[in-house]
Each structure stands twice: as C-alpha cells, then as structure tokens.
Amino acid sequence: MNAENNFAARLLDAGRLAAIARTRGLKTDVSYYVDEALKELWRTRSPEEAKAIAERWVLWDAKGKPWPRMPPLENVVPFKRAGAAEMPRTPLQAIREWFEKQDEDVQSAIAGMAALLIFEGCNLLDFSNKEWCDHLRRWLGETGLPNHKVIGRALTFRTCFEYFSESRFTEAAWMRSKEAAVKILADESREQV
C-alpha cells in the first residue's frame, strides 16, 4: 500500500476512533485523529510529498483544525439521462442491489461497518442490526442527489468496505487497531484522574 492509501485509511480510522472515543465520554473529535495522521505523514514522507497528499485529503477550518475531505472529483462526469427505459444504474443503485443479494448475517455485518465508519455512530450503535440495515438502505437509495454526491457516497462506501473487509485481515492492521483502542482507553483514564 502506498503512502497516500495509508493516509486515506488513517483518515477513515479517524472517524471510527472519534466515534469510539465519544462512546467512552472523551471530548476527542475527528480533527484530533486527522492531526495525528498528519504528524505521521510528515514524519515518514518528504515535505513535498506530505504536502501534496495533505492538500488532496485534508482541509482546515477557521480555527486551524484539520478535517478529512474527499479527494478532488476532477474525473467525475455527469450521468447521461437517455430516457425512462434506458435509465443507467447509478453506482449507489449497483451497491444497493449487491447489498440486497447478501444473506442476512452479511448484511448486518456490512451495516454495522457502515454505522461505525460511514455514519460515525450517528446514535446507531444502540439500535438493532435491522435498523442499521434500514439506515444503510435509505442512505444508498436516496433519490435526487447531485452527481457529485452519488459518486462521493459510492466512493465512501467502497473505501470503507475495502478498509473493513480487506485491510483488516493482516497482522499489522490488527495491531494498529489494537494500539489505537489502547491509546483511547489510556487517554480516558488520564482524563478521569
């Protein structure tokens, strides 16, 4: 995996870690974890490469806090609406159709991943698997979205799913997750003292 993919995975991790931190009562937000990923990027890459990657994946708010953003959508083209009989499927429709073909356990696992990584908890963690699946179906099936939002959602789902299903099946990835979770617990114990 190249440096940019690693950095993008860390940004996805930022949302998940912030959701975990919130469930533990910590005031840590996504910006904190993005900042940690930026520090790692600057430590491991040349300044020119780090700056180029950061410009594509991070934006800063008025207070100077870093936040993740989608990469530029330079290659996105509008969908051509030919006619009612020839309506092309959007990427979200293809994903939803694929999701519906999975068995119930797989759907629940995918929806649980979405609850953590895509929706950052969104108060979904207390709900049932069926409610997670319903929320994901609504998100995938929302109509009337502009083309860039359809593409953004499809890319977000694909990136999160790849991260959830493939990147986590290596020893190094599990160790990185374990270390991040241990750090959250250590931060919480320091704040309670």
Side-chain angles (χ1 to χ4, degrees), residues 7 10-11 13-15 17-18 28-43 54 57-60 63-68 183:
F7 185 69
R10 293 280 309 268
L11 293 187
D13 234 1
L17 294 174
T28 309
D29 61 6
V30 173
S31 176
Y32 170 80
Y33 295 104
V34 172
D35 191 49
E36 292 293 312
L38 281 167
K39 288 176 187 173
E40 175 74 18
L41 180 67
W42 282 94
R43 191 171 57 249
W57 287 93
V58 178
L59 57 90
W60 283 263
K63 296 178 183 176
K65 294 173 77 174
W67 297 92
K183 186 175 186 299

Side-chain angles (χ1 to χ4, degrees), residues 62-176:
K63 296 178 183 176
K65 294 173 77 174
W67 297 92
R69 74 165 151 192
M70 292 298 293
L73 299 175
E74 297 154 351
N75 296 327
V76 175
V77 294
F79 291 114
K80 301 291 184 212
R81 305 277 186 221
E86 300 175 25
M87 290 293 280
R89 287 182 10 199
T90 69
L92 286 180
Q93 289 169 333
I95 291 169
R96 183 170 176 170
E97 288 171 13
W98 169 83
F99 177 74
E100 296 298 340
K101 291 177 185 174
Q102 306 309 309
D103 67 39
E104 197 171 305
D105 290 338
V106 173
Q107 284 184 0
S108 295
I110 293 168
M113 172 273 307
L116 277 175
L117 298 179
I118 297 174
F119 308 124
E120 295 184 11
C122 286
N123 301 322
L124 290 171
L125 299 179
D126 297 329
F127 294 122
S128 70
N129 292 348
K130 182 186 178 327
E131 290 167 310
W132 290 349
C133 290
D134 291 343
H135 192 79
L136 181 58
R137 279 186 192 98
R138 282 191 302 274
W139 186 76
L140 291 171
E142 189 174 342
T143 58
L145 294 173
N147 292 340
H148 71 278
K149 285 197 177 191
V150 170
I151 297 297
R153 284 186 181 189
L155 289 172
T156 299
F157 181 86
R158 180 168 185 241
T159 303
C160 289
F161 185 79
E162 190 272 356
Y163 173 75
F164 175 75
S165 65
E166 294 176 15
S167 300
R168 287 299 179 212
F169 291 105
T170 64
E171 184 69 26
W174 282 110
M175 291 307 294
R176 194 168 51 246

